[in-house]
Amino acid sequence: MSHDPLDSQKPGHKEGLLPRGLAIRLFAYLIAGHAIAGFLYLLFKVGSHNQ
């Protein structure tokens, strides 16, 4: 048995998957990024109608 603290072989650890916290954070950043981009798009779209 390895005593290396960097060894990530834990019981139930699936190889090749992102850690749960990282996956949730990535999903939240993607949703927030798209929401901000959509809001900016809406601002420019509405602003262009006033010219």
Side-chain angles (χ1 to χ4, degrees):
M1 179 150 183
S2 174
H3 294 289
D4 184 10
L6 300 177
D7 189 13
S8 65
Q9 296 300 325
K10 298 175 188 164
H13 179 75
K14 296 182 178 85
E15 195 65 33
L17 291 178
L18 291 174
R20 183 180 177 97
L22 180 61
I24 292 172
R25 205 173 332 146
L26 180 63
F27 182 72
Y29 288 157
L30 284 173
I31 295 299
H34 280 88
I36 291 170
F39 179 69
L40 289 175
Y41 175 79
L42 183 66
L43 284 179
F44 280 103
K45 199 70 167 167
V46 169
S48 70
H49 286 287
N50 291 335
Q51 292 184 356

